[in-house]
Amino acid sequence: DTGVSQNPRHKITKRGQNVTFRCDPISEHNRLYWYRQTLGQGPEFLTYFQNEAQLEKSRLLSDRFSAERPKGSFSTLEIQRTEQGDSAMYLCASSLGPAPYNEQFFGPGTRLTVL
Amino acid sequence: AQSVTQPDIHITVSEGASLELRCNYSYGATPYLFWYVQSPGQGLQLLLKYFSGDTLVQGIKGFEAEFKRSQSSFNLRKPSVHWSDAAEYFCAVGASGGSYIPTFGRGTSLIVHP
């Protein structure tokens, strides 16, 4: 069990560019969650998957944000046409079954800086 | 709608002293309540959770929390703080029905003096 991994750990981009982050959950975890954490705030739920199905995406911040989990294993979060307000830490978590009954295990996050 | 308030942005304690971090929630029914810790460069780690039953919950690393419905509170306590407890602490609330979408507080930063 190597835990939840996220890549890259840091990303610096210019406004208007597209960025993609990857999350590798703990193997055999069928639930995967994305959160955003801005400076001085707690995590904010974005979306989650059960296997490859995206079950909740109404909390994605705008249509510039999208997430996929094509084979039910790793997931990607893409932000198109980045804005300075997108600068934040993007966290991924996974759980063996549905939360909150199953603990969510969090990755270390990807810190995005938009210049 | 559910919400969480952590009124203290920073708390400073001396090593060996007791600790209490405050958390107040707003939710119409009995919520699911959680405390997480986040150390620099680390992912959030669950300290403890409350779903129902005994209102005093024991967690990892010597932490405990008490659910008080009358005060809408779920305060985190530790009798003796260690320097390694310095971190950011987050309280979270989740609805007890439907899709689980947690709401986190803004966090309390714990500073431990030697």
Side-chain angles (χ1 to χ4, degrees):
Chain A
D1 180 359
T2 57
V4 178
S5 61
Q6 294 188 244
N7 289 288
R9 293 292 304 276
H10 303 274
K11 177 71 176 179
I12 301 174
T13 191
K14 294 182 179 179
R15 188 176 51 189
Q17 298 295 305
N18 299 343
V19 294
T20 300
F21 310 138
R22 176 175 170 132
C23 171
D24 287 272
I26 294 172
S27 58
E28 87 261 10
H29 279 196
N30 61 25
R31 302 266 173 149
L32 188 148
Y33 312 81
W34 284 100
Y35 294 82
R36 182 182 77 160
Q37 185 177 16
T38 54
L39 198 62
Q41 300 297 319
E44 176 185 12
F45 176 90
L46 296 178
T47 186
Y48 86 95
F49 294 84
Q50 177 179 323
N51 298 313
E52 65 274 12
Q54 191 173 12
L55 298 186
E56 175 60 61
K57 56 183 179 181
S58 67
R59 304 298 181 96
L60 285 169
L61 300 164
S62 77
D63 59 6
R64 297 184 297 105
F65 287 71
S66 63
E68 292 184 339
R69 194 183 184 197
K71 297 182 179 179
S73 57
F74 73 92
S75 175
T76 58
L77 178 69
E78 181 181 16
I79 308 173
Q80 296 182 330
R81 305 181 303 281
T82 53
E83 302 172 356
Q84 288 186 325
D86 297 331
S87 295
M89 180 77 85
Y90 291 85
L91 303 174
C92 176
S94 69
S95 63
L96 185 60
Y101 312 104
N102 293 270
E103 181 179 346
Q104 294 185 346
F105 291 85
F106 284 81
T110 294
R111 181 168 296 284
L112 172 66
T113 302
V114 181
L115 302 176
Chain B
Q2 61 203 37
S3 66
V4 176
T5 302
Q6 292 182 248
D8 303 306
I9 298 176
H10 303 282
I11 290 282
T12 301
V13 299
S14 298
E15 191 170 15
S18 63
L19 170 70
E20 182 169 31
L21 301 182
R22 296 184 291 165
C23 172
N24 292 96
Y25 69 89
S26 175
Y27 181 65
T30 300
Y32 298 141
L33 294 161
F34 308 83
W35 274 100
Y36 288 87
V37 61
Q38 185 177 38
S39 299
Q42 306 293 317
L44 276 81
Q45 182 181 22
L46 179 67
L47 288 175
L48 47 78
K49 62 188 177 186
Y50 173 79
F51 288 176
S52 64
D54 192 346
T55 56
L56 185 62
V57 180
Q58 301 297 319
I60 62 171
K61 304 186 179 187
F63 286 93
E64 68 177 26
E66 186 171 12
F67 170 61
K68 292 186 177 180
R69 183 189 304 276
S70 61
Q71 299 177 19
S72 297
S73 69
F74 189 57
N75 294 349
L76 182 71
R77 301 193 295 247
K78 186 169 184 178
S80 178
V81 170
H82 188 263
W83 63 267
S84 60
D85 293 324
E88 193 82 17
Y89 290 81
F90 294 94
C91 180
V93 61
S96 54
S99 293
Y100 174 68
I101 299 177
T103 298
F104 285 80
R106 66 178 178 180
T108 297
S109 178
L110 175 64
I111 302 163
V112 180
H113 282 315

